[in-house]
Amino acid sequence: MFKKIETKELGNPFDMIGNDWMLITAKDESKVNTMTASWGGMGHLWNKDVVYIFVRPGRYTYEFIEKSEEFTLTFFQEGYREQLTYLGKISGRDENKIEKAGLSVVSEGNYPYFKEGETVVKCNKLYKQRLDKECFLDASLDKFYKDDYHYMYIGEIVEVLRKEV
């Protein structure tokens, strides 16, 4: 169903993340949680292909990312916008939002992703740091936070999968 591709075949990260959105997904010993995100990026750092994602500590997914050394990014075709919107608004603390969204989890080791996805990026955590108000060079950016600052995670891309057609 999915085939491995090279990182350079991923496509335009500005469209993939900013316009198409993604699900950030991690698991603990018994459960998987996910959240929709439209902030982040991809690049090359420390001689590795990497992603960087941002997660607020109040998000349920934060607990899962903290407990695991691995996470995934799943990208979908446009027909899944309604499910992605739902998964971004509802907390997995309150209900089984993945099931209610009609998605199916695939787990390969500690890398959970979604059968319905088009592209999957498997990542290992390399770095974490909380954004700091004092470090904003443009003070107007603080309007996004109200003292609830994201953690940035940098993850090494260990494998990329694309759905076969």
Side-chain angles (χ1 to χ4, degrees):
M1 182 176 238
F2 285 89
K3 68 175 184 172
K4 184 176 178 178
I5 64 168
E6 297 296 318
T7 306
K8 65 184 176 189
E9 298 175 69
L10 264 168
N12 181 334
F14 297 99
D15 284 334
M16 292 176 72
I17 298 169
N19 296 328
D20 300 337
W21 305 345
M22 62 185 167
L23 289 179
I24 299 171
T25 310
K27 68 187 240 181
D28 63 15
E29 303 80 37
S30 62
K31 192 173 177 185
V32 171
N33 199 63
T34 194
M35 63 177 267
T36 304
S38 62
W39 289 11
M42 299 177 187
H44 195 76
L45 182 65
W46 305 313
N47 294 321
K48 300 173 185 295
D49 291 333
V50 299
V51 300
Y52 51 96
I53 60 170
F54 299 86
V55 181
R56 291 182 196 270
R59 297 293 299 257
Y60 191 41
T61 302
Y62 172 81
E63 296 175 27
F64 287 78
I65 290 182
E66 280 296 293
K67 291 177 184 175
S68 180
E69 294 304 311
E70 301 86 12
F71 64 90
T72 63
L73 307 179
T74 305
F75 299 88
F76 294 79
Q77 294 181 332
E78 182 59 33
Y80 286 89
R81 184 64 66 163
E82 186 177 316
Q83 289 94 328
L84 294 174
T85 299
Y86 173 78
L87 291 166
K89 290 181 179 177
I90 301 300
S91 174
R93 284 186 189 102
D94 302 328
E95 61 184 53
N96 186 340
K97 68 181 189 174
I98 294 170
E99 183 179 285
K100 284 194 175 183
L103 298 182
S104 308
V105 176
V106 176
S107 278
E108 291 182 10
N110 288 326
Y111 300 101
Y113 60 93
F114 298 95
K115 180 174 82 171
E116 297 81 5
E118 180 179 34
T119 303
V120 175
V121 181
K122 297 179 182 178
C123 305
N124 289 345
K125 290 190 312 190
L126 295 173
Y127 182 82
K128 165 190 155 184
Q129 183 170 348
R130 190 163 195 173
L131 296 183
D132 182 344
K133 180 179 184 170
E134 301 305 314
C135 293
F136 285 114
L137 301 177
D138 178 347
S140 72
L141 297 176
D142 195 52
K143 69 183 174 199
F144 292 104
Y145 293 99
K146 298 180 183 149
D147 293 324
D148 185 19
Y149 296 93
H150 289 90
Y151 276 92
M152 176 186 66
Y153 293 89
I154 299 174
E156 178 180 9
I157 298 172
V158 295
E159 187 174 57
V160 180
L161 304 174
R162 177 134 319 132
K163 188 170 275 180
E164 293 185 288
V165 279

